[in-house]
Amino acid sequence: MFDRITLGVNGDTNLIKSRLYNHPECTFPISVAKDASAEAVTYISFEPSDDLLVLDRYLNVVAEYIIERYETRMIRRILEEDYSDLSILHKREILKNVACCTDDPEFGYNARKQAILLSMYDYFKEESLMLIEGFVTFRLKEYEALLAELTERLVEAYIAQREYEEFIELLKYFVNIQQPRPALVHVCVRPEGGYTILDEKNADITSRCFSDFVEGELLLTEEAYDDLLISVLITLAPEKISVHGGEAIKNRELFTTITRVFEDKVSYCPGCALCQHT
């Protein structure tokens, strides 16, 4: 490492100066000066001497600055270049979801900062002057690759969520056009897996309901039971659904979907005779 490291920063110098001067853990030996031949660039010089811990803290601050100043711009460019079929509104929504990945071990904030730090350490093995704009543009390929993977994951999650919302709306439509409909259906969750369906008189109608979708006596997996349950409920389209034995529910997403589709028609029984005999 060099005895003196200098950063050249375009524009927004107040942010990095305030970070360096007022960092809660560090007192940095730095100096700030304007280059007479390039007034737009502020040079921030740092003297690491032999204290690698102070150097590490300094570079951490710079990495955080790069993320704060450039990351949104870089992800926006990836969206423009690789996902041109998405609307401006959709791209804005995807950008908002970056914060949802903050703690992700592979793409989260710390992983992204670490990618920048490794590039900076490699850079300062050879150079003592870093122009931030040029460094971000030409020397952060691993960080850019990480952002590209993060963006791909965010786009896939966003599209999946949109498709799920469209699916919910379609199911709601099917429920609303069904006539006539029973006043009440009981869904009893079995601890060993599967469901028992009862009518408003507590008569077991499971076989009759499932026979519309399954031919003969088939051994169904839990996933098949889940798929059949929502199909049965859509077909019945009851005015009320009472869920019993809720503590035995394994597929929470399924019942979230059922609640989304039927909304206030769904209730979860706090405990009754049906719950005890599921």
Side-chain angles (χ1 to χ4, degrees):
M1 286 291 180
F2 296 91
D3 293 334
R4 190 176 185 86
I5 292 172
T6 303
L7 297 176
V9 184
N10 289 335
D12 196 15
T13 56
N14 288 331
L15 176 60
I16 196 166
K17 285 166 62 178
S18 64
R19 281 183 180 278
L20 292 172
Y21 283 132
N22 302 317
H23 195 281
E25 297 181 0
C26 310
T27 302
F28 296 118
I30 66 173
S31 58
V32 180
K34 285 278 189 182
D35 187 331
S37 61
E39 294 184 1
V41 180
T42 297
Y43 290 98
I44 302 174
S45 298
F46 167 67
E47 299 174 3
S49 63
D50 295 323
D51 192 340
L52 294 180
L53 178 60
V54 173
L55 173 63
D56 185 65
R57 288 174 175 173
Y58 174 82
L59 295 184
N60 265 274
V61 170
V62 177
E64 291 167 4
Y65 168 77
I66 289 174
I67 290 175
E68 185 167 335
R69 180 173 173 82
Y70 294 97
E71 185 168 271
T72 298
R73 184 190 311 174
M74 295 170 75
I75 294 176
R76 187 179 290 116
R77 189 187 71 242
I78 293 169
L79 286 169
E80 291 296 330
E81 293 178 353
D82 298 342
Y83 304 95
S84 57
D85 54 323
L86 293 174
S87 70
I88 294 176
L89 177 61
H90 292 159
K91 291 172 184 175
R92 287 176 181 170
E93 292 299 317
I94 291 167
L95 275 171
K96 292 179 184 178
N97 292 334
V98 172
C100 298
C101 298
T102 297
D103 298 324
D104 187 285
E106 188 174 1
F107 302 105
Y109 184 88
N110 287 334
R112 303 197 303 271
K113 186 169 79 168
Q114 187 64 25
I116 296 173
L117 283 170
L118 290 175
S119 294
M120 284 197 294
Y121 273 110
D122 286 342
Y123 181 87
F124 283 123
K125 288 177 182 178
E126 304 170 359
E127 305 288 344
S128 61
L129 171 64
M130 175 193 288
L131 294 175
I132 291 288
E133 291 280 352
F135 177 75
V136 170
T137 302
F138 300 109
R139 299 295 294 263
L140 286 180
K141 299 307 178 185
E142 291 185 6
Y143 174 60
E144 287 183 4
L146 200 61
L147 289 185
E149 292 184 58
L150 171 62
T151 304
E152 181 180 10
R153 174 181 289 190
L154 291 173
V155 169
E156 290 175 351
Y158 181 75
I159 292 174
Q161 184 61 32
R162 281 183 59 204
E163 291 175 346
Y164 175 71
E165 295 298 332
E166 291 171 359
F167 174 65
I168 293 295
E169 292 304 314
L170 182 62
L171 294 184
K172 285 182 180 180
Y173 170 75
F174 284 133
V175 168
N176 291 332
I177 65 173
Q178 295 282 47
Q179 291 292 341
R181 61 184 64 184
L184 173 64
V185 164
H186 299 280
V187 176
C188 303
V189 184
R190 300 173 189 161
E192 70 277 10
Y195 311 95
T196 299
I197 303 174
L198 309 177
D199 64 15
E200 56 195 279
K201 296 179 181 180
N202 295 350
D204 191 334
I205 59 173
T206 309
S207 296
R208 175 158 56 88
C209 291
F210 280 67
S211 65
D212 292 336
F213 300 94
V214 180
E215 293 183 4
E217 295 293 329
L218 294 179
L219 183 61
L220 298 176
T221 63
E222 287 188 15
E223 292 79 7
Y225 263 119
D226 291 345
D227 292 339
L228 286 176
L229 177 62
I230 195 164
S231 297
V232 165
L233 293 176
I234 295 297
T235 301
L236 292 173
E239 294 180 9
K240 295 290 182 181
I241 299 173
S242 181
V243 180
H244 302 268
E247 68 281 354
I249 293 174
K250 297 178 181 179
N251 189 341
R252 295 286 171 181
E253 291 182 4
L254 169 67
F255 282 85
T256 298
T257 298
I258 291 172
T259 302
R260 289 283 310 277
V261 172
F262 290 92
E263 299 178 316
D264 57 357
K265 297 175 183 177
V266 181
S267 63
Y268 290 81
C269 181
C272 69
L274 291 179
C275 294
Q276 296 171 6
H277 292 90
T278 53

